[in-house]
């Protein structure tokens, strides 16, 4: 490897290799032979030319925060870690754009873009890399207003499995020039090549925001209020559903002092306080008509930050409350009108089966999470969780939805791909075989 990078950027040390063996899921990989940290596109190109020739599997690695085994090396080989390829190359405030290397962390990009009053909105909670977010098409709490990662990528530099460097897209705000190869690479989880540079769209930081907490006596009313709010065109910047079980854990761990009843956290962004007060007045009327029992808006800045931090750390909170257990995460998404039945179906399953499961989600875009905890070595316990996951995903697909709203397919959701996509799944496989005939790029992901 010294032909490609300096000795400080290649390791065969046991601890580095073990650190790259798993993400936050229970999916375990095969110990890679080594870890390599490239810094520039040319290095990546030289490495891939060699690994392709030698038939060595390559697994790209960002921050390792995936939930489905997406960056887990299943066949050993080489892990290509992008954390040292982390320069913000240029921010062009006049174009609302930034050119970045793939290892740039989302929070760092926002710190730098913030100096110009701009930000990169997709927010998966975790401090993920831009490369990992592109590869998973990540999104988060503000997607309901601002969109997902795919909506912010204009142009990519990609190194193909054989080492060839290509550029997709352009820096114009729109283009109808041929196939949209940029979108092909977004969400491809490193199976088609490696992203080494991206031009991202940025947007202005909203001048005013207003957070609100709305409570309900029952879960169905809370879920129905979500589709009514979205249908009314109110355009919340975040609309999250929380159920009493999760709120109870948040209260215990974070002392956020919330009522332990079905609740919506929402936020509105706007150009003036007056406009926001008008919007929140309408939101209050709408949610009251759906059975909202209390509507607290104008949440103070400090409390707002505490609440969002607590929400972002929901997975960690659940994990800590169930020490020694692993998590299986449902990430289904459905059309917004079908959200209430999806939520009720999922909550009932968790209760009927008496498993440790917490229902919540990015409700505003129909995305539902159920985080369930158990021991994968306990076959009975784990298969009960798998069965709940299977049933929820199958129902979501029947309702016109998807097995994964934001976490990607990885290893965990591969079994649903054919059901969800039918013949399109086979076309995806043919594309992957065309680009990577030896199937060396992040093998065993997306496809079974
Ligand atoms: C507590 C917690 C909360 C989360 N909440 C959300 C959420 O709300 N929304 C959401 O979308 N996700 C969420 N996630 C999942 C995760 O943060 C995202 O999927 C994120 O995009 C992963 O980025 P990463 O940098 O960690 O990438 P990794 O996990 O390291 O890799 C992700 C994928 O990208 C590939 N990859 C990495 N770099 C490159 C590259 N340069 N070129 C090509 N392929 C590459 C990897 O091979 C892998 O397939 C959460 C995770 C945690 C731990």
């Amino acid at each position: 490897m010294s032909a490609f990078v300096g000795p400080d950027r290649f390791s065969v040390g046991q601890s580095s290799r073990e650190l790259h063996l798993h993400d936050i899921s229970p999916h375990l990989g095969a110990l890679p032979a080594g870890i390599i940290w490239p810094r520039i596109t040319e290095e990546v190109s030289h490495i891939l030319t060699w690994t392709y020739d030698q038939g060595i599997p390559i697994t790209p690695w960002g921050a390792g925060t995936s939930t489905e085994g997406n960056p887990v090396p299943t066949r050993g080989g080489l892990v290509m870690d992008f954390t040292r390829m982390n320069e913000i190359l240029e921010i062009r405030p006049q174009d609302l754009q930034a050119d970045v290397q793939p290892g740039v962390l989302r929070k760092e990009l926002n710190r730098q873009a913030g100096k110009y009053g701009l930000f990169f909105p997709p927010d998966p909670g975790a401090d993920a890399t831009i490369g990992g977010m592109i590869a998973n098409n990540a999104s988060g709490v503000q997607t309901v207003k601002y969109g997902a990662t795919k909506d912010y990528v204009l142009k990519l530099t990609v190194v193909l499995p054989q080492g060839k460097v290509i550029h997709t897209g352009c820096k114009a705000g729109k283009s109808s020039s041929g196939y949209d190869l940029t979108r092909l690479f977004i969400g491809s989880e490193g199976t088609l090549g490696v992203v080494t540079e991206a031009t991202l769209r940025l947007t202005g930081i909203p001048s005013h925001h207003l957070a609100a907490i709305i409570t309900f006596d029952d879960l169905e009313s809370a879920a129905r209020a979500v589709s009514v709010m979205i249908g009314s065109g109110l355009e919340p910047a975040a609309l999250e559903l929380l159920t009493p079980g999760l709120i109870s854990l948040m209260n215990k761990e974070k002392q956020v002092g919330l009522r332990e009843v079905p609740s919506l956290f929402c936020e509105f962004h706007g150009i003036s306080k007056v406009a926001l007060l008008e919007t929140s007045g309408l939101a209050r009327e709408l949610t009251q008509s759906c059975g909202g029992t209390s509507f607290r808006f104008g949440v103070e800045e400090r409390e707002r930050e505490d609440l969002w931090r607590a929400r972002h750390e929901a997975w960690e909170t659940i994990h800590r409350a169930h020490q020694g257990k692993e998590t299986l995460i449902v990430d289904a998404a459905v059309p917004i009108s079908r959200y209430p039945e999806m939520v009720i179906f999922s909550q009932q399953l968790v209760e009927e089966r008496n498993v440790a499961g917490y229902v919540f989600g990015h409700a505003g875009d129909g995305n539902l999470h159920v985080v369930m905890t158990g021991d994968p070595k306990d076959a009975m316990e784990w298969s009960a969780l798998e069965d709940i996951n299977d049933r929820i995903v199958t129902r979501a697909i029947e309702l016109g939805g998807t097995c994964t709203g934001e976490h990607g397919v990885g290893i965990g959701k591969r079994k649903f791909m054919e059901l969800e996509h039918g013949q399109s799944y086979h076309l995806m496989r043919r594309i992957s075989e065309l680009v990577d005939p030896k199937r060396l790029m992040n093998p065993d992901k997306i496809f079974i």
Side-chain angles (χ1 to χ4, degrees), residues 290-317:
C290 296
T293 51
S294 74
F295 185 100
R296 189 155 68 85
F297 64 92
V299 175
E300 291 301 324
E301 187 68 24
R302 175 80 191 278
E303 190 188 355
R304 169 180 170 266
E305 281 172 13
D306 288 348
L307 287 175
W308 283 121
R309 195 172 308 115
R311 165 60 190 89
H312 275 315
E313 290 172 11
W315 178 82
E316 288 94 332
T317 303

Side-chain angles (χ1 to χ4, degrees), residues 23-24 59-67 70-71 82 102 123-141 189-190 193-196 311-312 315-316 362 369 406-407 442 445:
D23 56 7
I24 70 157
T59 306
W61 184 278
T65 66
S66 288
T67 65
N70 322 46
F82 286 95
D123 173 4
D127 197 9
T129 63
I130 298 300
M133 289 181 67
I134 291 172
N136 281 356
N137 187 22
S139 54
V141 293
E189 300 185 20
V194 165
V195 173
T196 58
R311 165 60 190 89
H312 275 315
W315 178 82
E316 288 94 332
H362 307 306
H369 292 319
E406 57 183 17
H407 294 165
N442 205 5
K445 310 302 155 52

Side-chain angles (χ1 to χ4, degrees), residues 70-98:
N70 322 46
V72 166
T74 49
R75 303 198 177 195
L78 209 55
V79 168
M80 190 172 273
D81 182 323
F82 286 95
T83 50
R84 298 193 206 172
M85 195 164 172
N86 60 351
E87 269 185 60
I88 297 174
L89 302 168
E90 189 182 13
I91 295 180
R92 292 183 298 285
Q94 64 281 21
D95 288 329
L96 288 85
Q97 290 179 11

Side-chain angles (χ1 to χ4, degrees), residues 15-303:
S15 61
S16 299
R17 289 154 65 212
E18 282 176 0
L19 276 174
H20 291 82
L21 204 47
H22 53 82
D23 56 7
I24 70 157
S25 72
H27 300 290
L28 250 199
L31 201 63
I35 316 298
I36 196 158
W37 287 267
R39 281 220 180 107
I40 52 171
T41 300
E42 289 69 27
E43 284 177 355
V44 174
S45 169
H46 291 147
I47 297 163
L48 291 193
T49 304
W50 181 77
T51 51
Y52 195 79
D53 189 47
Q54 300 293 313
I56 296 170
I58 287 277
T59 306
W61 184 278
T65 66
S66 288
T67 65
E68 296 294 341
N70 322 46
V72 166
T74 49
R75 303 198 177 195
L78 209 55
V79 168
M80 190 172 273
D81 182 323
F82 286 95
T83 50
R84 298 193 206 172
M85 195 164 172
N86 60 351
E87 269 185 60
I88 297 174
L89 302 168
E90 189 182 13
I91 295 180
R92 292 183 298 285
Q94 64 281 21
D95 288 329
L96 288 85
Q97 290 179 11
D99 298 332
V100 300
Q101 289 191 313
V104 167
L105 293 169
R106 175 183 69 80
K107 287 185 185 166
E108 179 57 17
L109 174 60
N110 280 332
R111 258 190 296 278
Q112 299 307 325
K115 294 176 184 167
Y116 303 95
L118 299 171
F119 79 122
F120 173 68
D123 173 4
D127 197 9
T129 63
I130 298 300
M133 289 181 67
I134 291 172
N136 281 356
N137 187 22
S139 54
V141 293
Q142 301 189 358
T143 293
V144 60
K145 180 176 174 74
Y146 294 97
T149 300
K150 67 179 164 57
D151 301 306
Y152 289 86
V153 182
L154 290 169
K155 187 173 186 308
L156 290 176
T157 301
V158 177
V159 184
L160 296 177
Q162 300 82 351
K164 185 182 276 244
V165 179
I166 62 162
H167 304 279
T168 72
C170 68
K171 291 183 180 175
K174 60 192 264 194
S175 165
S176 42
S177 172
Y179 294 174
D180 191 344
L181 293 184
T182 307
R183 286 282 180 106
L184 179 63
F185 285 99
I186 298 169
S188 67
E189 300 185 20
T191 58
L192 297 177
V194 165
V195 173
T196 58
E197 197 178 313
T199 297
L200 304 175
R201 215 157 60 76
L202 304 172
T203 195
I205 297 174
S207 52
H208 291 82
H209 44 239
L210 187 146
I213 304 167
I214 309 158
T215 59
F216 296 81
D217 283 338
D218 62 283
L219 190 53
E220 188 164 1
S221 302
R224 234 169 356 96
V226 170
S227 52
V228 170
M229 263 227 260
I230 296 296
S232 71
L234 271 180
E235 293 193 3
L239 184 49
E240 297 285 305
L241 174 80
L242 284 97
T243 49
L246 177 60
I247 296 176
S248 164
L249 289 190
M250 287 160 73
N251 279 340
K252 277 193 201 106
E253 184 168 305
K254 311 271 181 200
Q255 287 85 44
V256 279
L258 294 169
R259 286 183 60 206
E260 294 175 12
V261 292
S263 302
L264 299 178
F265 280 12
C266 63
E267 186 158 303
F268 297 98
H269 293 172
I271 50 164
S272 75
K273 213 167 183 175
V274 176
L276 285 184
L277 287 175
E278 203 174 326
T279 309
S280 66
L282 284 171
R284 178 202 287 269
E285 274 174 35
L286 276 177
T287 48
Q288 269 173 349
S289 73
C290 296
T293 51
S294 74
F295 185 100
R296 189 155 68 85
F297 64 92
V299 175
E300 291 301 324
E301 187 68 24
R302 175 80 191 278
E303 190 188 355

